[in-house]
């Protein structure tokens, strides 16, 4: 993690990495997500489940890395892992993954922030060392402009000392920043940051994949069926297995 990235991550709560996934891999993931969107939830691939009931505006799928090797290949991307390693002091694991498909009028409410402190998503920086106990990488797969309802944050809110007085509707927060990005990019952010999305007004499907890295001793999140299957872990190469492994000693 270079000095500019450290400064921006601590200042804003996120960094944008450009062009770290090849176009052909993005195309494969986009095709996969398009196919999954059309499937009945009863015939989804093993361990891929709808995290929430599908609506006309959005679809959440848990454990998306298990759907195809093209998604699993995101686990150990060097530009992302370099940041994760630095902000967790080297003790980390891939905790859970999911995807979100957004359609017209969809909007993710704002959530998280420096205050109140969340036991699974705290952030601190002291003497040039950052510690973020849950850090996410969001990969834009299709249509990630502001009109498409792109990912949005309140910069600096991961260090806020006061609860937000502006509620959870993104349109009503005066400091909200829409982070426009392109397929192949990644936005790495601390979960302590207030984040959500702006409203999709284009009507184009916005597709995103989220990989969520925690401190190494944090177990899988069972909420919303976020857990890895034994068969998936066994299918991984040694580097990816080490990243997924729970560090209990």
């Amino acid at each position: 993690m270079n000095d500019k990235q450290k400064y921006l991550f601590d200042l804003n709560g996120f960094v944008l990495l450009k062009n770290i996934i090849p176009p052909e891999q993005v195309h494969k993931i986009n095709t996969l997500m398009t196919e999954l969107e059309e499937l009945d939830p009863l015939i989804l691939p093993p361990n891929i489940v709808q995290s929430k009931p599908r609506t006309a505006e959005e679809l959440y799928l848990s454990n998306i890395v298990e759907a195809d090797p093209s998604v699993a290949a995101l686990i150990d991307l060097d530009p992302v892992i370099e940041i994760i390693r630095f902000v967790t002091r080297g003790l980390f694991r891939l905790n859970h993954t999911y995807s979100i498909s957004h359609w017209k009028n969809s909007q993710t409410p704002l959530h998280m922030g420096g205050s109140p402190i969340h036991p699974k998503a705290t952030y601190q920086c002291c003497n040039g060392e950052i510690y973020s106990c849950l850090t996410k990488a969001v990969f834009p797969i299709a249509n990630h402009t502001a009109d498409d309802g792109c990912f949005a944050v309140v910069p600096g809110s991961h260090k806020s000392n006061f609860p937000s007085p502006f509620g959870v509707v993104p349109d009503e927060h005066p400091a909200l920043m829409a982070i426009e990005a392109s397929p192949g990019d990644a936005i790495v952010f601390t979960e302590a940051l207030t984040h959500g999305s702006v409203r999709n007004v284009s009507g184009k499907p916005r597709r995103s994949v989220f990989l969520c890295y925690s401190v190494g001793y944090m177990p899988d999140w069972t909420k919303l069926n976020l857990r890895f299957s034994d068969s998936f872990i066994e299918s991984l190469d040694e580097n990816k297995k080490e990243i997924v492994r729970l560090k209990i000693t």
Side-chain angles (χ1 to χ4, degrees):
M1 194 174 185
N2 62 43
D3 288 343
K4 289 182 179 179
Q5 291 173 332
K6 293 173 188 176
Y7 178 81
L8 292 173
F9 191 92
D10 182 56
L11 179 69
N12 295 321
F14 73 93
V15 291
L16 174 61
L17 304 174
K18 299 294 293 182
N19 301 316
I20 65 169
I21 308 173
E24 57 271 21
Q25 184 179 355
V26 174
H27 176 72
K28 287 181 181 179
I29 298 173
N30 187 53
T31 300
L32 170 72
M33 291 184 68
T34 304
E35 293 171 350
L36 293 176
E37 290 166 3
E38 301 301 321
L39 290 181
D40 186 291
L42 296 177
I43 58 172
L44 287 168
N47 208 37
I48 308 299
V49 296
Q50 288 188 8
S51 311
K52 305 175 183 178
R54 177 176 178 156
T55 69
E57 290 80 32
E58 63 185 19
L59 171 65
Y60 283 68
L61 295 175
S62 293
N63 311 316
I64 190 64
V65 291
E66 302 202 26
D68 189 80
S70 62
V71 192
L74 301 175
I75 290 174
D76 56 354
L77 289 175
D78 284 342
V80 172
I81 294 301
E82 287 176 7
I83 295 174
I84 301 300
R85 182 175 289 112
F86 182 83
V87 302
T88 56
R89 317 313 312 149
L91 182 64
F92 68 93
R93 66 180 296 249
L94 180 64
N95 189 285
H96 58 277
T97 70
Y98 55 93
S99 67
I100 308 178
S101 298
H102 278 177
W103 294 284
K104 191 171 183 178
N105 294 322
S106 64
Q107 186 172 44
T108 302
L110 295 179
H111 53 288
M112 303 305 293
S115 179
I117 295 173
H118 192 289
K120 288 187 176 181
T122 58
Y123 177 92
Q124 59 182 300
C125 184
C126 182
N127 297 326
E129 294 188 338
I130 292 173
Y131 183 70
S132 171
C133 71
L134 185 66
T135 309
K136 293 185 177 180
V138 53
F139 298 93
I141 300 302
N143 305 320
H144 207 271
T145 69
D147 282 350
D148 302 323
C150 69
F151 182 72
V153 306
V154 178
S157 55
H158 58 306
K159 298 187 287 187
S160 174
N161 293 308
F162 301 94
S164 172
F166 298 107
V168 300
V169 179
D171 300 342
E172 298 176 0
H173 201 298
L176 188 75
M177 174 191 290
I179 305 177
E180 294 191 315
S182 302
D185 297 344
I187 304 161
V188 183
F189 66 100
T190 176
E191 179 67 6
L193 182 70
T194 299
H195 58 282
S197 74
V198 292
R199 188 175 301 280
N200 183 323
V201 296
S202 73
K204 298 177 183 176
R206 178 172 75 86
R207 302 186 178 99
S208 305
V209 170
F210 289 75
L211 269 62
C212 310
Y213 299 85
S214 70
V215 291
Y217 48 81
M218 188 185 295
D220 297 353
W221 285 25
T222 55
K223 181 182 179 182
L224 302 179
N225 298 295
L226 294 165
R227 59 173 67 85
F228 298 110
S229 66
D230 292 340
S231 59
F232 172 70
I233 294 173
E234 285 304 311
S235 72
L236 298 175
D237 61 41
E238 291 305 313
N239 189 55
K240 292 182 179 65
K241 282 182 181 178
E242 177 59 23
I243 290 175
V244 171
R245 181 178 68 85
L246 181 64
K247 282 74 172 177
I248 57 175
T249 58

